[in-house]
Amino acid sequence: MRAVNDVSLTVRPGETLGLVGESGCGKSTLGRLVLRLEDPTAGEIIFEEVDLAPLSRKQMTDVRKKMQVIFQDPYSSLNPRMTVGQIIGEPIGVHGIMPKANINARVAELLQLVGLFPYMALRYPHELSGGQRQRVGIARALAVEPRVIVCDEAVSALDVSIQGQVINLLEDLQQKLGLTYLFIAHDLAVVRHISTRVAVMYLGRIVELASADDLFADPKHPYTRALLAAAPVPDPVVERTRPRTIITGELPSPLNPPAGCVFHPRCPLATEECKQAVPATRELAPGHWAACIHA
Amino acid sequence: MQHGIAAATGLAQSQATGTPPAKAIGQPILEIEDLHVHFVTSHGTVRAVEGLSYAVHPGEMVAIVGESGSGKSVSALAVMRLLPPNTARIRSGVVRFDGRELLKLDDEEMRQIRGRDVSMIFQEPMTSLNPVLTIGLQIMEPLLIHMNMTDAQAKARAIELLTLVGITDPESRLAQYPHQLSGGMRQRVMIAIGLACNPKLLIADEPTTALDVTIQAQILELMKDLSRRLNIAVIIITHNLGIVARYADRVNVMYAARLVERGMAEQVFGRPLHPYSRGLLAAVPRLDQGRTNKLATIDGSPPNLLNPPEGCRFRPRCRFAVEACINVPPFVEVEPGHHAACIRAHEIEALDAGPRRYLRRTRLRSRRRGYSRYSSREQVLPRRRRLPEGCLQARARSQ
Ligand SMILES: Nc1ncnc2c1ncn2[C@@H]1O[C@H](COP(=O)(O)OP(=O)(O)OP(=O)(O)O)[C@@H](O)[C@H]1O
Ligand code: SF4
Ligand SMILES: [Mg+2]
């Protein structure tokens, strides 16, 4: 299964790199590769000038301290039999960050940092709301003082009103702690809101990469354009007058991706040429990359 | 049949949603009056739906939105009489469908209506399709049971239905099993089954949440188009306010088991009257407007239905709460066709700068400071350039 194919990506310190694309396109796999939760078959993952790909498990433990992940489902990613305090305190103990005696105080501090209350350390996950559980996940990720956090659909399962709270929290923490985020999500409006730059993935390849403003103001790749056209805007007056073009066709199986440009069977601009070779990624404007020969 | 969405490849322009919304005229096909649903659990009684009333007209698409756990799915399941019999209790209420009171029918009469006159599409088609039966058998089953068709007639109708929902090569699909189809195709099959017996009402509970944006748009365009052409009433339950704005004619907003606002889509989005709806609309980031520096949020979290707050359920989170909110606010018509359950609904616009104005204000402020929309982030970036350019680089391939 080729979930991810020849992907090259650079995340800059202090930025939020948004990663969007259809489900199953390899977004999460890429996130897992970066964290070495999954092993790449080829390529390199360079973190602070060190290639992670050949590192052993033990060597990775040190790196993991600097790279954390927040998952989509706040419920299944928290152990239901552990209290919130144990959940957040565990990685501090595992990495031996501070003496055991200080852990409780640090947990209380982390809970406050994410907008919860120290008394909640004694609660179990099922005694919290979805938004509160997601905050516990964030607090656990922050416990080891990481530099990079991979947010894999970290706000997707939350109610709109709670989602806003968590996004604002992530932004505040970034400002305060200088964090770098790889923000994987399918909601384009959320990605635009939070990201410095955005990469668009389709069938395991990055088809476009640009600053958030450039990408949404002037999308170059036909797939990015299709995504934007398909995303509805919460305003019936705008929607009723908005001309809409919707691409047809199903998502091809990643087991057997189309030859040439992977998007060509659904692409309104496709020509014979597109079926021949995988299009090179070109810089069409400063910092704006796209892999389409007609872009 | 040449269908807008079913067109093989390339761009399909949809007309369905460009037309003005259907006017709610004539007799409603479904009327729900004062519905109360409770769950009896070991922890106590969950009042999942309280005093819900609304109507749906033929050819109309009505959306139900609201916080997770607010009773959207339970109210739909109550209409279908599909609630778990051992714990769920419909305490009171009337569900009138096409002149018949559904809550008074016996199980056999209800089975007749379900699958023929009313169909329901669920979020995850994989769990509602039978994995060991072919697609063909599953579409033909209701036709054989409810319509007394012969095998040959049912097969012809199944092919027609698959074509209608935009599945290419329908004849060969009939012999396939659900796992051989993509998620989008499975959802189309669910719609085909739902449409098999020409229902008058289709209830879709998060029908596209599990799907990709472009596939989601295809399915919803299809549902909207069918509803208009075949005069089917559609109830759509979703968290996605963009979908509501694009497809729904009318909107019901639920909060903590109660209806808090109801109106035409233009009314609810253009002039939301309930503080919860206003908060909800202000909290969604929008692609059609400039980026704000901070998202508006609703503080706190929704109440526990085992022990809900007295009076207005939104009171603990409401910025406009006054002493009188300790009484349950009545559901009143504030402008024609536009209802809300808030004692301050009539003055809410004056009280609240509102989602629109809030956004405009932040944008103006950033422009005055000479920032681009993007400035807040650019400002903080340089401070952090301690690490070498590209602190994380990935070039990877996995198999
Ligand atoms: N079988 C059950 N037993 C007890 N409580 C239940 C049961 N099913 C639902 N509930 C409760 O009823 C309330 C309403 O649930 P419902 O499924 O209608 O929410 P919803 O509005 O559809 O939410 P979501 O958007 O998350 O799907 C919730 O508080 C839920 O916990
Ligand atoms: S009734 Fe009172 S508490 Fe409830 S929404 Fe209106 S102002 Fe807020
Ligand atoms: Mg539901």
Side-chain angles (χ1 to χ4, degrees):
Chain A
M1 162 107 176
R2 321 184 97 182
V4 173
N5 224 318
D6 291 325
V7 160
S8 294
L9 205 62
T10 304
V11 189
R12 299 178 185 148
E15 83 166 343
T16 300
L17 182 75
L19 192 56
V20 296
E22 312 217 324
S23 68
C25 74
K27 301 186 298 262
S28 296
T29 310
L30 184 60
R32 297 172 61 80
L33 284 174
V34 164
L35 294 161
R36 278 283 312 278
L37 296 173
E38 216 160 285
D39 289 333
T41 45
E44 50 200 12
I45 298 151
I46 299 167
F47 176 62
E48 295 182 349
E49 295 176 333
V50 178
D51 187 0
L52 305 185
L55 293 192
S56 68
R57 252 171 198 281
K58 204 174 161 309
Q59 289 169 307
M60 267 313 285
T61 315
D62 284 342
V63 179
R64 287 247 164 81
K65 219 165 72 181
K66 297 181 188 162
M67 274 204 265
Q68 286 288 307
V69 62
I70 306 167
F71 292 107
Q72 166 164 14
D73 183 353
Y75 201 69
S76 65
S77 60
L78 303 179
N79 185 337
R81 274 182 283 278
M82 284 165 75
T83 64
V84 164
Q86 289 167 334
I87 290 170
I88 300 172
E90 189 190 33
I92 307 180
V94 167
H95 291 287
I97 288 170
M98 55 178 65
K100 285 237 154 28
N102 299 356
I103 291 183
N104 281 347
R106 175 69 178 146
V107 167
E109 194 179 282
L110 285 163
L111 282 169
Q112 278 171 316
L113 191 63
V114 297
L116 297 174
F117 301 97
Y119 70 79
M120 289 180 172
L122 297 176
R123 293 212 185 162
Y124 287 90
H126 70 263
E127 294 170 312
L128 301 174
S129 75
Q132 291 171 333
R133 286 197 290 259
Q134 197 58 292
R135 286 160 190 263
V136 172
I138 295 173
R140 179 181 55 183
L142 291 175
V144 296
E145 296 170 19
R147 298 255 176 87
V148 177
I149 299 184
V150 175
C151 306
D152 190 355
E153 300 279 6
V155 299
S156 309
L158 302 176
D159 274 322
V160 174
S161 68
I162 309 289
Q163 179 179 295
Q165 295 173 6
V166 175
I167 291 172
N168 286 346
L169 170 67
L170 288 172
E171 290 187 320
D172 286 348
L173 292 172
Q174 182 168 56
Q175 304 235 0
K176 248 187 244 162
L177 309 173
L179 296 170
T180 303
Y181 295 136
L182 178 60
F183 193 89
I184 302 172
H186 66 269
D187 185 324
L188 296 171
V190 167
V191 168
R192 183 181 80 150
H193 178 86
I194 201 169
S195 302
T196 323
R197 290 186 306 145
V198 176
V200 182
M201 253 181 122
Y202 187 77
L203 277 187
R205 290 181 187 276
I206 291 188
V207 296
E208 187 159 358
L209 173 69
S211 76
D213 284 345
D214 289 347
L215 188 102
F216 286 95
D218 184 20
K220 306 272 191 206
H221 197 282
Y223 175 63
T224 312
R225 292 186 182 168
L227 273 184
L228 288 178
V233 164
D235 185 337
V237 179
V238 173
E239 279 298 339
R240 298 246 144 81
T241 52
R242 191 171 153 208
R244 257 203 310 290
T245 45
I246 288 165
I247 53 162
T248 54
E250 302 291 333
L251 211 54
S253 158
L255 292 171
N256 184 19
C261 171
V262 283
F263 188 55
H264 86 254
R266 302 177 72 194
C267 181
L269 303 181
T271 55
E272 258 320 295
E273 236 181 309
C274 304
K275 300 174 191 165
Q276 307 306 327
V278 177
T281 307
R282 295 179 295 141
E283 188 168 17
L284 299 167
H288 196 149
W289 301 77
C292 167
I293 53 177
H294 298 300
Chain B
M1 184 181 305
Q2 177 57 27
H3 187 264
I5 317 303
T9 43
L11 294 170
Q13 277 278 7
S14 156
Q15 263 102 55
T17 43
T19 49
K23 278 274 153 357
I25 36 166
Q27 281 297 314
I29 183 81
L30 177 76
E31 277 174 288
I32 300 175
E33 275 168 31
D34 199 28
L35 183 68
H36 289 254
V37 183
H38 293 182
F39 286 98
V40 184
T41 70
S42 51
H43 301 287
T45 302
V46 178
R47 298 197 185 133
V49 177
E50 277 195 5
L52 182 71
S53 305
Y54 67 93
V56 189
H57 295 77
E60 174 183 56
M61 205 146 165
V62 172
I64 305 181
V65 299
E67 209 97 345
S68 162
S70 59
K72 304 181 295 290
S73 301
V74 167
S75 62
L77 291 170
V79 170
M80 294 295 281
R81 299 246 318 254
L82 286 174
L83 289 167
N86 45 343
T87 53
R89 304 275 178 277
I90 298 182
R91 282 290 175 227
S92 61
V94 177
V95 177
R96 212 173 291 113
F97 171 75
D98 207 13
R100 302 175 77 181
E101 281 198 29
L102 295 191
L103 301 183
K104 295 209 172 124
L105 300 184
D106 64 34
D107 289 352
E108 183 48 40
E109 288 171 312
M110 195 58 214
R111 236 191 312 275
Q112 283 291 322
I113 289 193
R114 229 184 280 138
R116 190 186 60 199
D117 297 323
V118 189
S119 312
M120 187 150 177
I121 300 170
F122 296 94
Q123 173 169 356
E124 188 21 75
M126 209 49 200
T127 55
S128 19
L129 287 173
N130 188 332
V132 298
L133 293 182
T134 62
I135 301 299
L137 276 179
Q138 298 191 55
I139 303 178
M140 285 159 63
E141 190 190 80
L143 297 168
L144 299 169
I145 295 175
H146 295 299
M147 312 283 275
N148 293 322
M149 286 189 180
T150 63
D151 272 8
Q153 285 170 326
K155 188 174 173 199
R157 172 78 175 143
I159 292 173
E160 186 187 23
L161 285 163
L162 287 179
T163 315
L164 186 70
V165 297
I167 289 187
T168 50
D169 200 10
E171 277 213 68
S172 64
R173 300 281 183 203
L174 292 180
Q176 292 190 328
Y177 292 88
H179 69 90
Q180 292 173 297
L181 305 182
S182 71
M185 280 201 268
R186 283 197 291 264
Q187 199 57 292
R188 284 164 205 252
V189 169
M190 280 300 298
I191 296 179
I193 295 173
L195 291 172
C197 305
N198 297 321
K200 296 175 179 141
L201 174 67
L202 193 63
I203 303 178
D205 190 354
E206 309 265 1
T208 57
T209 310
L211 300 178
D212 309 309
V213 190
T214 55
I215 308 289
Q216 167 182 301
Q218 290 176 12
I219 303 260
L220 289 165
E221 292 287 324
L222 169 73
M223 285 179 41
K224 181 80 181 182
D225 184 53
L226 292 172
S227 145
R228 283 281 153 77
R229 285 194 300 130
L230 309 176
N231 216 25
I232 301 171
V234 179
I235 298 175
I236 180 166
I237 299 174
T238 177
H239 281 272
N240 187 324
L241 294 172
I243 288 178
V244 177
R246 187 179 277 190
Y247 300 102
D249 301 306
R250 279 195 297 153
V251 184
N252 292 316
V253 185
M254 287 186 77
Y255 186 80
R258 293 182 186 153
L259 201 58
V260 295
E261 182 158 356
R262 174 172 76 207
M264 301 299 290
E266 288 84 349
Q267 293 175 322
V268 175
F269 281 86
R271 192 181 165 219
L273 293 175
H274 195 280
Y276 171 67
S277 328
R278 297 181 82 82
L280 198 61
L281 283 168
V284 273
R286 301 175 54 146
L287 283 175
D288 62 328
Q289 292 181 345
R291 286 211 283 191
T292 51
N293 294 340
K294 265 244 173 292
L295 287 176
T297 57
I298 306 175
D299 290 339
S301 44
N304 178 353
L305 290 181
L306 280 169
N307 184 20
E310 235 182 297
C312 175
R313 293 270 163 88
F314 191 56
R315 189 167 45 94
R317 304 174 75 186
C318 182
R319 289 187 291 138
F320 307 105
V322 288
E323 218 164 296
C325 304
I326 196 77
N327 303 311
V328 177
F331 195 64
V332 293
E333 189 162 19
V334 179
E335 58 178 336
H338 192 181
H339 297 67
C342 167
I343 53 163
R344 312 195 73 182
H346 56 280
E347 53 172 345
I348 199 77
E349 284 198 296
L351 291 170
D352 186 6
R356 297 274 150 72
R357 253 173 275 171
Y358 169 80
L359 284 173
R360 209 174 301 138
R361 224 174 35 214
T362 27
R363 254 182 306 167
L364 275 180
R365 202 180 305 141
S366 3
R367 217 175 295 148
R368 263 205 306 275
R369 287 198 208 135
Y371 293 166
S372 72
R373 296 197 297 225
Y374 186 46
S375 54
S376 69
R377 239 159 303 255
E378 275 163 2
Q379 280 213 314
V380 293
L381 269 179
R383 197 161 45 80
R384 294 199 204 125
R385 290 251 157 83
R386 318 171 282 243
L387 295 171
E389 177 75 6
C391 74
L392 175 66
Q393 279 173 297
R395 249 196 37 229
R397 181 196 293 252
S398 87
Q399 248 154 31

